[in-house]
Amino acid sequence: MDGAHSTALQLQQLPPTSSASALSETSFSYKENLIGALLAIFGHLVVSIALNLQKYCHIRLAGSKDPRAYFKTKTWWLGLFLMLLGELGVFASYAFAPLSLIVPLSAVSVIASAIIGIIFIKEKWKPKDFLRRYVLSFVGCGLAVVGTYLLVTFAPNSHEKMTGENVTKHLVSWPFLLYMLVEIILFCLLLYFYKEKNANNIVVILLLVALLGSMTVVTVKAVAGMLVLSIQGNLQLDYPIFYVMFVCMVATAVYQAAFLSQASQMYDSSLIASVGYILSTTIAITAGAIFYLDFIGEDVLHICMFALGCLIAFLGVFLITRNRKKAIPFEPYISMDAMPDSYLHNRQLLFKRYSNSRNVPRHYLESL
């Protein structure tokens, strides 16, 4: 009896099995993924509401006799506050969930903007345009929601802490160094064709944006993760890699915004939204998989379902944006056809009189 009793005590004192610890670790990673996904969804929703609030403010001021500037209205400042709050939520989400999960969730902002644009802004539509515009947009919203659900469900369960040692180890790993070499060569080639050969195709410009954006999200995850660990008591701000990542994050974000501004001057915003989302998400997921090893240890089924979720979200965003109403270019209040004939006749006489004179500036002749 004593031997049996001592054996039972030894069995009770055995440490937990490795399977039990792996199960608790997996559940903890699922919890962090859920927190990160909820923060990202919340952030993108709030940013969409903020942008539409500011748009509503501009529309209301343009249609009224209110002499105030837009930045003197409470609505515009509320939109700015909500935008900062939403961006803070998206920034914090990178500290909890894998980069491959957070990046595709930007489709939430496209879905929210489409719904708010119809309901809140009350965009006008004709019955004959309803099927072409809004039904396909609602189908796109449904597909984007399904794709987002698959992304959250089958996302990689990465739970590595963003310590200074881990970030440095990933930064000097040979797969990432090889990826950086390929990306730098591709970026320089695209920049050469864009600047020297005037290759203003939207794919060229948005590929430049996507390549910069992949580095932005990689550095954002490192900075956000190290900040969260520092807030929790594990100080990471004394590592030089934190400041390297912070400088790279700011620099790539600034140049990314510059290329986006140039693209918006040449192409419609809906086309930029759809093509930019597809290119940026694809390259960012690739960068995250190489730098942070997001898909290491994942089975083939989870990877295939995650890829299917991305494809469905891409199709949904494409359907939403392709049916968005295009902006009407500014038209002057007075056209040349509406001017008196005598005015046009006098301009022609002045041009003939001074066209052969060397003392008249050329810009004056071009103005005629």
Side-chain angles (χ1 to χ4, degrees), residues 205-362:
I205 302 176
L206 293 183
L207 267 176
L208 291 169
V209 174
L211 292 173
L212 289 170
S214 65
M215 291 299 99
T216 302
V217 294
V218 165
T219 53
V220 163
K221 180 172 177 59
V223 171
M226 296 177 77
L227 281 176
V228 169
L229 284 179
S230 300
I231 293 173
Q232 292 175 350
N234 187 4
L235 186 62
Q236 301 294 319
L237 302 185
D238 52 352
Y239 287 93
I241 190 64
F242 172 81
Y243 301 97
V244 172
M245 287 294 187
F246 181 80
V247 171
C248 292
M249 178 186 71
V250 175
T252 53
V254 169
Y255 283 105
Q256 184 182 355
F259 282 114
L260 274 176
S261 176
Q262 295 174 18
S264 64
Q265 296 175 6
M266 294 182 285
Y267 296 97
D268 185 69
S269 60
S270 60
L271 184 62
I272 295 174
S274 58
V275 178
Y277 172 75
I278 294 172
L279 293 177
S280 297
T281 302
T282 303
I283 297 179
I285 290 176
T286 304
I290 295 174
F291 188 89
Y292 294 109
L293 306 175
D294 285 345
F295 294 96
I296 293 295
E298 297 293 327
D299 54 54
V300 178
L301 177 61
H302 275 70
I303 296 176
C304 291
M305 293 302 294
F306 180 83
L308 178 62
C310 288
L311 292 176
I312 294 175
F314 290 167
L315 179 59
V317 170
F318 174 76
L319 290 177
I320 293 171
T321 54
R322 77 180 296 269
N323 293 286
R324 186 174 294 175
K325 187 177 180 181
K326 294 184 178 181
I328 300 175
F330 173 76
E331 296 180 357
Y333 289 104
I334 301 176
S335 64
M336 294 297 293
D337 297 334
M339 292 183 179
D341 294 338
S342 59
Y343 177 77
L344 296 176
H345 180 68
N346 291 335
R347 287 172 63 92
Q348 293 173 359
L349 291 177
L350 288 173
F351 182 81
K352 290 180 180 179
R353 179 180 301 176
Y354 296 116
S355 59
N356 296 323
S357 177
R358 297 180 180 178
N359 297 325
V360 179
R362 184 169 183 81

Side-chain angles (χ1 to χ4, degrees), residues 3 69 108 135 146 173 211 336 363:
V108 174
V135 171
V146 172
S173 62
L211 292 173
M336 294 297 293
H363 66 83

Side-chain angles (χ1 to χ4, degrees), residues 5 8 80 159 171 274 302 364:
H5 184 67
L80 180 62
H159 52 271
L171 187 63
S274 58
H302 275 70
Y364 178 76

